[in-house]
Amino acid sequence: MRTILFRLIGILEIAGGLYGVAAALHRLLPFGSAHESVIALISLALYGFVLAAGVQLLDGSDRGVHMSSWAQLLQLPLIALPIFSYALHCGAFVNVFATLQAAPRLGIDWHFGSQGFVLALAGPGVSRLGINLLALLSWLVLRLR
């Protein structure tokens, strides 16, 4: 069972990492503003790391387990505040979040076969904080070595 779960995590990391690297290269190649290029380089590095972690995990190495644990921790938080935003997902996500406004509410959002990266010094009009449950579950599975 452990091997099947590790392979599933590795496949999601490889698929999301490849998709993310392609999207980051697409953002980087027009050579737009310096700010956009820096964000694209950071996303390229993050997706490259997740891709390498997935390959190492499928290879069955202990280093792959360690790298994949870090890759899952990077995907854990969802922060969207007026002053700062951060979110990363590779392959899939199941986000549980709370909106922070006059009437706070809980919400859930999910998607498979996707990638996404947000890093900004500004955020949405409606703030929200959350956690990627799929990344948390994957991290816990990886801790079971």
Side-chain angles (χ1 to χ4, degrees), residues 8-89:
L8 182 61
I9 292 168
I11 289 168
L12 283 174
E13 287 178 347
I14 290 171
L18 276 173
Y19 189 26
V21 165
L25 286 173
H26 182 68
R27 282 178 68 183
L28 186 63
L29 289 181
F31 298 113
S33 69
H35 178 266
E36 186 67 27
S37 295
V38 168
I39 298 297
L41 282 173
I42 292 170
S43 67
L44 182 64
L46 286 173
Y47 285 120
F49 175 75
V50 172
L51 175 62
V55 169
Q56 294 268 340
L57 187 62
L58 283 184
D59 198 27
S61 71
D62 285 337
R63 186 176 184 186
V65 174
H66 184 71
M67 288 175 64
S68 289
S69 293
W70 279 104
Q72 296 306 315
L73 286 175
L74 287 169
Q75 297 178 63
L76 202 57
L78 168 64
I79 303 167
L81 302 172
I83 57 171
F84 178 74
S85 295
Y86 172 82
L88 171 71
H89 70 273

